[in-house]
Amino acid sequence: MSEFEIDWARERRTGIAEAVLCDGKSAAQIEAILASAGERPLLLTRLRPEAHASLSDKARHDLDYDPSSATAFHGRPATGLLPGPGIVCAGTSDLAIAREAARSLAFAGWQAPIIADVGVAGLWRLMARLDEIRGFSVVIVVAGMEGALFSVLSGLVDAPVIAVPTSIGYGVATGGRAALTGALASCAPGLVTVNIDNGFGAACAAVRILKKFGEARDPGAHP
Amino acid sequence: MSEFEIDWARERRTGIAEAVLCDGKSAAQIEAILASAGERPLLLTRLRPEAHASLSDKARHDLDYDPSSATAFHGRPATGLLPGPGIVCAGTSDLAIAREAARSLAFAGWQAPIIADVGVAGLWRLMARLDEIRGFSVVIVVAGMEGALFSVLSGLVDAPVIAVPTSIGYGVATGGRAALTGALASCAPGLVTVNIDNGFGAACAAVRILKKFGEARDPGAHP
Amino acid sequence: MSEFEIDWARERRTGIAEAVLCDGKSAAQIEAILASAGERPLLLTRLRPEAHASLSDKARHDLDYDPSSATAFHGRPATGLLPGPGIVCAGTSDLAIAREAARSLAFAGWQAPIIADVGVAGLWRLMARLDEIRGFSVVIVVAGMEGALFSVLSGLVDAPVIAVPTSIGYGVATGGRAALTGALASCAPGLVTVNIDNGFGAACAAVRILKKFGEARDPGAHP
Amino acid sequence: MSEFEIDWARERRTGIAEAVLCDGKSAAQIEAILASAGERPLLLTRLRPEAHASLSDKARHDLDYDPSSATAFHGRPATGLLPGPGIVCAGTSDLAIAREAARSLAFAGWQAPIIADVGVAGLWRLMARLDEIRGFSVVIVVAGMEGALFSVLSGLVDAPVIAVPTSIGYGVATGGRAALTGALASCAPGLVTVNIDNGFGAACAAVRILKKFGEARDPGAHP
Amino acid sequence: MSEFEIDWARERRTGIAEAVLCDGKSAAQIEAILASAGERPLLLTRLRPEAHASLSDKARHDLDYDPSSATAFHGRPATGLLPGPGIVCAGTSDLAIAREAARSLAFAGWQAPIIADVGVAGLWRLMARLDEIRGFSVVIVVAGMEGALFSVLSGLVDAPVIAVPTSIGYGVATGGRAALTGALASCAPGLVTVNIDNGFGAACAAVRILKKFGEARDPGAHP
Amino acid sequence: MSEFEIDWARERRTGIAEAVLCDGKSAAQIEAILASAGERPLLLTRLRPEAHASLSDKARHDLDYDPSSATAFHGRPATGLLPGPGIVCAGTSDLAIAREAARSLAFAGWQAPIIADVGVAGLWRLMARLDEIRGFSVVIVVAGMEGALFSVLSGLVDAPVIAVPTSIGYGVATGGRAALTGALASCAPGLVTVNIDNGFGAACAAVRILKKFGEARDPGAHP
Amino acid sequence: MSEFEIDWARERRTGIAEAVLCDGKSAAQIEAILASAGERPLLLTRLRPEAHASLSDKARHDLDYDPSSATAFHGRPATGLLPGPGIVCAGTSDLAIAREAARSLAFAGWQAPIIADVGVAGLWRLMARLDEIRGFSVVIVVAGMEGALFSVLSGLVDAPVIAVPTSIGYGVATGGRAALTGALASCAPGLVTVNIDNGFGAACAAVRILKKFGEARDPGAHP
Amino acid sequence: MSEFEIDWARERRTGIAEAVLCDGKSAAQIEAILASAGERPLLLTRLRPEAHASLSDKARHDLDYDPSSATAFHGRPATGLLPGPGIVCAGTSDLAIAREAARSLAFAGWQAPIIADVGVAGLWRLMARLDEIRGFSVVIVVAGMEGALFSVLSGLVDAPVIAVPTSIGYGVATGGRAALTGALASCAPGLVTVNIDNGFGAACAAVRILKKFGEARDPGAHP
């Protein structure tokens, strides 16, 4: 029996197709997983450029790879996307994680615009784009440092807000614990959070909401 | 100017009425807040029985108090509730927090049944009630100890799942950090979490989803 | 030689009179310190109502005690105060610490108004009072939970801003670490912080600024 | 007197032959230990491929090295193995540690099959192999992330279950603390754990059980 | 449907009867659980004397309560016990947890002697009783402070050794983290551990070994 | 709309010009920010020599780069500086952070001398320069290890004292937590602190004081 | 066999008589230990006044109890003491621990004077008594908060210096971790430390030095 | 004034010559310090082989460098050493730190033998060399992992015992916190500790004892 047991039924069961976290896996392991996938769609996350470069030509040819988000699509083009959640991003350094969320949503069939550089140190930047943000039915907020943006934005919109703390920062913010704590201890009611740097997880949470409440996509069918 | 500046517009802005966290507030402060509220609805959370008992007769008379969840309603009867999220609860000791979530949802206009005692140490208990759980459009999961129920349930349902880690446990689980970590580090994609023991916050997150996606209630109007 | 060696020269050396932290001291120790003080002024902090009640009648008579801030003045009336820093306070539960800061400033000769209940979950409350806050030459901000108010306010005013994280909160916010981290990891440049619940320390920092930059008081002389 | 004092009597005293943890030791130190061993059997763990490559030809020739588990056998072939514990492994990234456990058991004389890729996010994968797992008299479970597999499996089998948390994961799971906490705080009674990534230690614990309870091997004698 | 869903099949499935952790449960909840149990055996742990005293006369009458271990037996006399594991205990203050383990074993049908006051600061005390300890087929070690006894004993016996770190200690040992770390980081191979103060869990781990390897008891049948 | 939204109004609003933290930003991102700046002044911090070397010739030409502080000035010469704060530095290893503070002050228009190598292990070194230090109206103290210098110096001067804990140290001091704790828990009243290694933040705090209290500079105008 | 196995040979083996840590022991346990001691000397530490009061009249009569240090002598009068180490104490709140050290030394036969209230916030207080402190051959330093006194004093004397961090403090200093870190990360070479609040341990360390280096006492013989 | 202010009077004041911690210092900084030293003796610690190699030929020529301890002597030959403390070392991986202690003692004039590989997992190894160890007037113990050797040895000898926890270990032992906790929480009275990996600090503590108690050396004079 193979050592790889892909959960192909996951999309039917939970609405979210199987994804492969590439950190900690060797090139040989990733290629074996791709081989076992055949034509079936698979999302690869945290596939660093070096790791991508170490794959075989065949494997690289089959993947739609985006280095800025370290994600790759296998077996499913990201076309015909529906309008999806808004992704609000505190700083330039948080963009890689914001893009992981956007790509994960694209893989699932939704187009998610990124509103960048709206950290609370210059509150007017957020205010200037508030109407735009209020137009989304789900909002993903990506922030590092102390994560004050999570609380501020949650107090300004009525949509579900999903926080993605990032590992951007130094000193007490090293590794993202400060931003995570900022999200969990928030004084703004109804804010939820995922793990540090987990843009993929936030996208999945948004997909659960969108699919359950009527904007569902036929898996694999966005033409 | 008063020291109390209740955010009466919050419900209009974010869909969630102002609530008062009573922990750390004196009886005098709570009564002053109630007085400033007048007829306007207000949810009180973490109002311990001793704190409730120390309020004036007048204040106690005006409140619909539930000791098992340590919550009180002011100025709004919880009647005419719509069917709402399901609340899944790992153990008997987690019930107080599950009830805080249920009462917060009732205050907002939704009836949320509690499915109790379905911890993963006896997996059949969860399996026996899985069809029932799959019937909810939003699921709140309340668990202490290591919080393994969060991951297991997220892998079995396609609805949005909101974890509420509780402070139930001892040793490394003291204070709820183990359960919180279990939710954040979960291998099940799309799980989101709130702070430890924050049943109210999970309810608010559910309300954001329900109101935004068409099952909205007219605030204050559930007859 | 006495076991108590009060640093009577501290005010001359650092601009700040000696203060006594009463937590962890017995009634006998506090009374011995007061006796050794004689007529000289002394500020007592963290003198809990029970501890105050356990002092002798004589000691209690000589003290100007304020239970809401748990502070007492010995040997110096707080009269003829100059206009001083503004104290901005996120929530009702943070008021005790805000008052410790205000009382410490009053002991040193400055009147410090408290702007309360302006947490960022309802940003309009802060905005409504921003002009008032911008009128202060030094701003002390007191907040618990995630401390997002520190970053937001620092981005809005040009005065020195001193954060006082409080131990208000539960779960990951227990004990004030979340608010402290929020202050330290803040994305707003120029914010400084003191220890959790250290309203006295923030007042001393403000006094250092005010005395050094020309609004100095003759110690003991505010008539 | 040599700086290396190998505990050759350990196998007689505790049932487990001396092993050498190679992390933090120089090539010269490892070779000196091998030289002092002579013909006596020795297990080397955490011998990274680079460290193995830096050994002399002679040393490399004498070792039975397995890069996927970073282990090497010296002076004892792993032949004639008895059927041993089952090793259950949550994800592909945990395989290196699972193999360290399997190789350590092989060195002691037992064959331990690995059941891989049965994480709880897709519970059916575990259920499909439950009968097989129930056939083992001792079960070692290897998992990273939140380690929910530890609790779920412990509730399903009656054999002794030994958890090996791995350092696989990111954010709050970085370094393996989340999985370790998941094992320690487990709601499933009778689960025991070893240190993070300590596949060797789990194997030793299994050997203690197997030797004490009648499936003992004559040390060094598996023909 | 009741809120209490006792896992009556647990003993058949995992070899260990259901137990109720009484910490965090109200007297009403405990009595409801006892009522639902009827004649079926149930072990109650962490039933503090005050909590026991607050139960009804009826409930107290039905329980075999031992205050020194804070445990109670319901529906099964602890008679006709087989010789079982040895419990080695570092200091007098660790005895309550050692007794929790002994009582849990008695409930399952085994007699487990306690060897007390053999901490490593006076190594001769341990050495004096080493032959006796080597006579047990499973050894449970209970220690607080730095837990050095775990490593020392593991190096001296060949039986399975299960560590129970206790919360005895102060300063860096407060809450038992130092002893737990001492068990996990032990240099002695094959040591396993349970959560801090989890004497019950260690007993369950021993029961798994004893039942699986031929010294099994017919559940409920020790006459 | 661009992904970079520089807060050009920040200097007018808070007295401090926008700065760019280069850690975690790619060369392409830094160049895009510089391009969007045009002639407007910008401070770059944490621009490591390797990162600086990877910029285009054009970008490097436009920057006044100082490798010892890892800072660069864009669009504003640091000339005509006013006498500013004193920077007191415990050890040679803390100099890089002390220089980040000095360069940030120079960018804002103040000359800040560094008093180096005055750690408390040799107290006479500090005493020898105390008169000089007492001449500054604001003092920035930079120290790693246990940060005892923060407390000692705060007790000796009456100026505002801003602590900058550094990540210099090993063992329990790794990452700067020990020094940070030393600043926060200080027994010296009125000490404030910024995040670990945040020389820039301390400079900004000093600028807030200096600008607010009459030694203000016309932004951009120091000729 | 008794559960209490006092290590009567400890004084001969290590120079330090057996002591009993009373925290966590019941009155019955303490009395049983005293009974087993008979005439032999025993030091009791952390015997809180309430615990002392709960002992039998007989037990209390036999003890030389000092509430300010929570210590009691059994079977050995503290008379004919030799001049011993100096104990330097930062603040009034640290006195209880300083006295535990002094009483432990008296039990072993040395008189140890306490130099109190010499915290570094007012450095002159320490300097005023430096000659006196330099006269001791061993110095024990007791301090809470950030523990800066440890470093400062170590840099000023050439005797062995033993730090005792205390749990005095709040916020980040809660529980004594800040002071402990201050001792461990100290920039002053040759400083050693014991656990938080461990005045007894520091006394024992001093006794080891004094006995080994010629100022030894005949155990039990100080007349 | 130079940025380097070597504390040349330290040896006279505290008995210990100035040492330079090279971690975190550039080659230029180290050479500048050496230049300012001239003929005066200086000990360099943590001078990694790469850092040593990057020094100028001149600097390297003047240094007596030992790569296995990462120390270098400048200006003082280590000849004519007196018999000094014993250094007991748990495992091969701890030898680098043990050697740092031995070299630091040699620089100060004492010869300190290393007793290696006596970890408690094989207690007989320690017992076999106990008489030798009991012959030293001061004992330094170097151990990583859980540090159980600290407690065991302290209970067996009457000399002062100084623990040096090392960063050897993985999982919960990563970075040395487990060993440090083992030393601080030890049940053996009179044990003292220094920071993780601080072999130099333990040597200095031993020197303080040896110099104060009559085995003093004339600094710089060991011929």
Side-chain angles (χ1 to χ4, degrees), chain E residues 11-94:
Chain E
E11 190 155 17
R12 203 154 350 119
R13 208 173 60 247
T14 70
I16 301 157
E18 176 77 306
V20 177
L21 177 76
C22 296
D23 262 357
K25 293 198 176 67
S26 67
Q29 288 177 323
I30 294 171
E31 298 211 23
I33 291 171
L34 290 174
S36 80
E39 301 293 300
R40 287 172 294 196
L42 209 55
L43 172 67
L44 284 76
T45 61
R46 301 191 167 227
L47 181 62
R48 309 290 164 212
E50 318 78 68
H52 177 252
S54 73
L55 295 179
S56 70
D57 286 356
K58 165 85 175 70
R60 285 212 312 281
H61 179 267
D62 288 354
L63 293 176
D64 166 6
Y65 180 63
D66 170 50
S68 78
S69 62
T71 58
F73 296 168
H74 172 269
R76 179 190 287 174
T79 55
L81 305 181
L82 292 179
I87 300 176
V88 178
C89 182
T92 307
S93 305
D94 303 311

Side-chain angles (χ1 to χ4, degrees), chain H residues 85-213:
Chain H
I87 300 176
V88 178
C89 181
T92 307
S93 304
D94 303 312
L95 273 172
I97 300 301
R99 285 176 182 140
E100 183 187 282
R103 284 272 291 179
S104 300
L105 282 161
F107 182 73
W110 281 274
Q111 171 75 29
I114 296 178
I115 289 99
D117 250 344
V118 292
V120 299
L123 201 59
W124 65 268
R125 296 180 299 189
L126 178 63
M127 293 309 188
R129 305 193 70 177
L130 192 53
D131 283 347
E132 182 183 357
I133 296 170
R134 281 183 169 150
F136 296 107
S137 58
V138 175
V139 178
I140 292 171
V141 190
V142 183
M145 311 290 282
E146 88 289 41
L149 181 60
F150 302 137
S151 293
V152 171
L153 194 66
S154 291
L156 293 171
V157 305
D158 65 353
V161 180
I162 303 163
V164 187
T166 71
S167 53
I168 297 301
Y170 58 92
V172 299
T174 303
R177 287 272 175 170
L180 173 61
T181 300
L184 288 166
S186 174
C187 56
L191 177 68
V192 294
T193 190
V194 295
N195 195 3
I196 296 159
D197 287 341
N198 192 4
F200 164 69
C204 291
V207 167
R208 284 178 182 258
I209 296 172
L210 294 170
K211 284 205 169 172
K212 196 70 182 183
F213 288 89

Side-chain angles (χ1 to χ4, degrees), chain B residues 100-214:
Chain B
E100 183 187 283
R103 283 272 290 180
S104 300
L105 282 161
F107 182 72
W110 281 275
Q111 171 74 31
I114 295 177
I115 289 99
D117 249 344
V118 292
V120 299
L123 201 59
W124 64 268
R125 296 180 299 190
L126 178 63
M127 292 310 187
R129 304 192 70 177
L130 192 53
D131 282 347
E132 182 183 356
I133 296 168
R134 281 182 168 150
F136 295 107
S137 59
V138 176
V139 178
I140 292 171
V141 190
V142 182
M145 312 290 282
E146 89 288 41
L149 182 58
F150 302 138
S151 293
V152 171
L153 194 66
S154 291
L156 294 171
V157 306
D158 65 352
V161 179
I162 302 163
V164 187
T166 72
S167 53
I168 298 301
Y170 60 90
V172 299
T174 304
R177 288 271 177 171
L180 173 61
T181 300
L184 288 166
S186 174
C187 57
L191 177 68
V192 293
T193 189
V194 294
N195 195 4
I196 297 160
D197 287 340
N198 193 4
F200 165 69
C204 291
V207 167
R208 282 179 183 257
I209 297 172
L210 294 170
K211 284 206 171 172
K212 196 69 181 182
F213 287 89

Side-chain angles (χ1 to χ4, degrees), chain C residues 10-177:
Chain C
R10 182 171 294 172
E11 189 156 17
R12 202 155 350 119
R13 208 174 62 247
T14 69
I16 301 159
E18 176 78 306
V20 177
L21 177 75
C22 296
D23 262 356
K25 292 197 178 67
S26 66
Q29 289 177 322
I30 294 171
E31 298 210 22
I33 291 172
L34 290 174
S36 79
E39 301 291 300
R40 287 172 294 197
L42 211 52
L43 172 66
L44 284 76
T45 62
R46 300 190 168 228
L47 182 63
R48 308 291 163 211
E50 317 79 67
H52 177 252
S54 73
L55 296 178
S56 69
D57 285 357
K58 164 87 175 68
R60 285 212 312 280
H61 179 267
D62 287 354
L63 293 176
D64 166 6
Y65 181 61
D66 170 50
S68 79
S69 62
T71 58
F73 296 168
H74 171 268
R76 179 190 287 173
T79 55
L81 305 180
L82 294 178
I87 300 176
V88 178
C89 182
T92 306
S93 304
D94 303 312
L95 273 171
I97 299 302
R99 285 175 183 143
E100 183 186 283
R103 284 272 290 180
S104 300
L105 282 161
F107 181 72
W110 281 275
Q111 171 75 30
I114 295 178
I115 289 98
D117 249 345
V118 292
V120 299
L123 201 59
W124 63 268
R125 297 180 298 190
L126 178 63
M127 292 309 186
R129 304 192 69 176
L130 191 53
D131 283 347
E132 183 183 355
I133 296 169
R134 281 182 168 150
F136 295 107
S137 58
V138 175
V139 178
I140 292 171
V141 189
V142 183
M145 311 290 283
E146 90 287 41
L149 182 59
F150 302 137
S151 293
V152 171
L153 195 66
S154 291
L156 294 171
V157 305
D158 64 354
V161 179
I162 303 163
V164 187
T166 72
S167 54
I168 298 301
Y170 58 91
V172 299
T174 302
R177 288 271 176 170

Side-chain angles (χ1 to χ4, degrees), chain F residues 119-123 127 145-146 148 151-152 154-156 170 172-173 177-179 181-189, chain G residues 119-123 127 145-146 148 151-152 154-156 170 172-173 177-179 181-189:
Chain F
V120 299
L123 202 58
M127 292 310 188
M145 311 290 282
E146 88 288 40
S151 292
V152 171
S154 292
L156 293 171
Y170 59 91
V172 299
R177 287 271 176 170
T181 300
L184 288 166
S186 174
C187 56
Chain G
V120 299
L123 200 59
M127 292 309 186
M145 312 289 284
E146 89 287 41
S151 292
V152 171
S154 291
L156 293 171
Y170 59 91
V172 299
R177 287 272 176 170
T181 300
L184 288 166
S186 174
C187 56

Side-chain angles (χ1 to χ4, degrees), chain A residues 121 123 127 145-146 151 155 178 181 187, chain C residues 121 123 127 146 151 155 178 181 187:
Chain A
L123 201 60
M127 293 309 189
M145 312 288 282
E146 88 287 41
S151 292
T181 300
C187 56
Chain C
L123 201 59
M127 292 309 186
E146 90 287 41
S151 293
T181 299
C187 57

